[in-house]
Every structure is written in C-alpha cells, then in structure tokens.
Amino acid sequence: MFRVSFILLLACCGAMSATIDVPMLKMLNDREMPAIALGTYLGFDKGGAVTSKDKQLRNVVMQAIDLGYRHFDTAAIYNTEAEVGEAIRMKIDEGVIKREDVFLTTKLWNTHHKREQVAVAMKETLNKTGLDYVDLFLMHWPIALNEDYSHSNTDYLETWRAMEEMVKLGYTKSIGLSNFNKLQVATVLQECTIKPVALQIEVHPQIIQEDLISYAKDEGIIVMGYSPFGSLVKRFGMDLPGPKMDDPVLTSLAKKYDKTPAQIVLRWLVDRKVVPIPKTVSPKRLLENINIFDFKLKEEEIEKINQFNSNTRYTLPSFWQKHPFYPFDMVPNPIPDPFRSEIKS
Ligand SMILES: NC(=O)c1ccc[n+]([C@@H]2O[C@H](COP(=O)([O-])OP(=O)(O)OC[C@H]3O[C@@H](n4cnc5c(N)ncnc54)[C@H](OP(=O)(O)O)[C@@H]3O)[C@@H](O)[C@H]2O)c1
Ligand SMILES: *[C@@H]1O[C@H](CO)[C@@H](O)[C@H](O)[C@H]1NC(C)=O
C-alpha cells in the first residue's frame, strides 16, 4: 500500500514539475481566459489548406495539454476543429483535465454571416469538436461572403445578433471579434446586447497595434495576438524583411533573461496584456513557447521591441479590399495572400 502511493506520488510530482502554470485573465463577463493559446492553423500549400496527417495535430494538442496549455485557437476554415476537439476529449477521458479546465476558441467563417447560417455553422463546429460548447466564438472577419466567395453585403451587426443567440442557447460561453478595426469594434459595442469579450488581431514586433490595443483595453476587451513571431520565422516559405532570431536587440534580452528570442517576443506580448497565439507542431517548441511565465520585461525593454514597428501585416487579404467592410488600410500587398488558394478552389 505504502509502496503504491509512493509511486503514485512520484508519478504525480514528476508530471507536475513539467507542467507550466498559465495565468488567467479576467474577461468582462467575469469568465477567465488562459494567457496563452496554442495556434492550430497549419497554413496552406499548393494543395490548399494543410490538413493534419495521422492525427499529428491531435497528438500535438494532447502533448500541449500535458505541458500546461489550456487554451486552443481554431476556426471552421482551418479544418482542425475535429482533431483539437478529439484531443481535449481524450485528455478528459484520461482524467488529466476536466472540460472546464480548457478554453477553446473557434471562429465563424465569412460564408456563414447571415442570421440563420450562424446557428448552422455553430452546430457544425460543435459536431466536429464533439463538445457540448466552446468557450469563445469569434467572428473571423467583418467581411461576409456568399458561398461562391463573391461579396455579400450582410452587415456584421446582423451576424453579431445571431452570435448573441449562440450564447443564450449555451453553445458558446463567450463571443468576440477578429480582424475588426477600431470603428467596427465601436459599432458593435454601440449596438450589442452582449459585449465582445475579445478581439483577435495580428500582433508582432512589426505591427505593435498600439492604438487598437489601448482602445480595447479601455473597453475591457482582451486582445489576442496572432502570428506573434512576425518576421522571426519564415512566412509563406520565405524570409521576409524584419527582425530575425539573431537580431541583437532580441538576443541581448534573451541572454539577460536566459531565454530564447522567440520567448522574449512572446513575453513582450504577455507584458502588453495581449494573449499570444503561437503555433507549433514541435514538442520542443511547444515547451519553449509556454515557458515564459517566470520572468518579465521592463518598460524600457518593451519600448525597445516596439521600435521594430513598421505596420507590416502578413494576413492582408487584398482581394477583399473592395468589400464594404474591409477592415484594413488600402495598401498594396507585397506578399502572397494567405487565403488565395481557398479563393481559387
Ligand atoms: N484570426 C485570424 O485571422 C488569424 C490569422 C492568422 C493566424 N491566426 C492564429 O494564430 C496562430 C499563429 O499564427 P501563425 O501560424 O501565422 O504564426 P506564428 O505562430 O507566429 O508562427 C508559426 C511558425 O513559427 C514556427 N515556430 C513556432 N514556435 C517557434 C519557436 N519557438 N522558434 C522558432 N520557430 C517557431 C512554427 O514552425 P513549427 O510548427 O515547425 O514549430 C511556424 O512555422 C494560427 O495558428 C492561428 O491559430 C489567426
Ligand atoms: C455529427 O454529425 C454526424 C452526421 O449527422 C453524426 O453522424 C455524428 O454522430 C455527429 N457527431 C457528433 C459528435 O455529434
């Protein structure tokens, strides 16, 4: 008996020492969001959206849960909802977590913005994940599209009203926005009966989003930052201009805190109260990316990283520029459109 419990104790503490405790952020509906999320968009290649092979993503999410990740970011358009949901359910079945310990964010795709389409999309998401509810349902873009990807003029306020219904029906605990500009967020705030708790936007050293982040903060909206590594990693298989892993500003901070440049950048987001959404499928980098809660940057160090700002976006769907609700400034896009392959198909 003694021996059994001793072994159990060892097993328990061994597992615990490898688990990182992620802080929680209070949202304006009094619920809590874990301060880092694992991204699960696998990108695209010549064949279109990259899908997970042999349950690779499911296994990554299960490893992530063992390491302490409690927040996962997916979307209907990523084609990853099923494996993310499967991993969560398997870890619940293993007794490692309870449903309420994990936070699942997913997104409504642009082709389902009409009032009656939102419930259809929501139910399909729940069916794919195999869960009774998600924690956060985001409107992926303010842009509505028809099934053939031609522009639809469905107002995002109509979509928002339908998303509010999803909360009332218990399909999602919270709702929020993604890729909305300040005026569009303000419009939703003015007209809503349930406030958006979160705004997911591109945030990295080359697009620091000072204005939108401070506006969201004033409204009590939590900002989630996507593509957090910016130019540090290859984009569309290319090295694009901007700071790299060997940048002296980042390497000197990395040396000071005994961290990697990637960890410094993730911590820069955390210290600005932004929830980073790093994506990785590598076990080593999974641990690296979550191991950022035992140090803190100084104000002047945050400011130093802010200096990289050049308002450079990697998610810039310029083929939607003529849409009435296109959220970004009209600028030429020097890089391939991330959704172009979807558009062609
Ligand atoms: N709302 C939106 O419209 C929107 C748009 C874009 C993205 N997102 C979300 O944000 C997530 C992340 O965005 P993202 O994938 O564009 O960019 P990201 O997380 O900044 O970069 C991912 C790339 O960095 C590599 N990487 C990860 N950790 C690393 C580390 N510690 N050191 C070196 N390389 C590392 C990954 O390769 P390995 O996998 O090989 O490690 C991958 O190639 C997405 O998965 C998605 O959930 C949302
Ligand atoms: C999802 O829908 C399909 C088809 O209607 C059904 O066979 C399946 O059991 C559903 N899955 C879940 C988890 O509800």
Side-chain angles (χ1 to χ4, degrees), residues 40-53 77-80 109 227 234-238 240 279 314-317 319 333 335-345:
T40 69
Y41 176 51
L42 301 177
F44 71 91
D45 57 21
K46 287 174 216 93
V50 174
T51 52
S52 166
K53 304 270 169 343
I77 196 69
Y78 299 169
N79 236 322
T80 54
W109 188 236
S227 303
K234 283 194 171 180
R235 299 277 157 193
F236 318 108
M238 287 183 273
L240 294 163
K279 171 266 170 186
Y314 296 111
T315 295
L316 189 61
F319 46 82
N333 187 356
I335 50 176
D337 281 321
F339 294 115
R340 186 153 282 159
S341 58
E342 288 158 19
I343 295 296
K344 276 191 304 201
S345 61

Side-chain angles (χ1 to χ4, degrees), residues 89 123-124 126-131:
R89 287 185 282 113
K123 284 178 192 160
E124 198 170 318
L126 291 177
N127 177 286
K128 287 204 168 130
T129 57
L131 300 173

Side-chain angles (χ1 to χ4, degrees), residues 39-41 73 78 107 140 178-179 200 226-229 233 235 245 262 277-281 285 288-289 315:
T40 69
Y41 176 51
D73 182 74
Y78 299 169
K107 313 183 193 85
H140 208 143
S178 178
N179 297 306
Q200 186 175 127
Y226 73 68
S227 303
F229 296 123
V233 298
R235 299 277 157 193
M245 291 293 183
I277 317 172
K279 171 266 170 186
T280 184
V281 290
R285 292 188 283 278
E288 177 182 347
N289 294 348
T315 295

Side-chain angles (χ1 to χ4, degrees), residues 7 23 41 55 88 92 112 158 189 213 250 301 304 335:
I7 289 165
Y41 176 51
K55 304 280 184 188
I88 291 172
I92 292 172
H112 287 73
E158 173 183 334
L189 283 174
I213 289 173
L250 300 178
E301 294 168 339
K304 233 175 169 178
I335 50 176

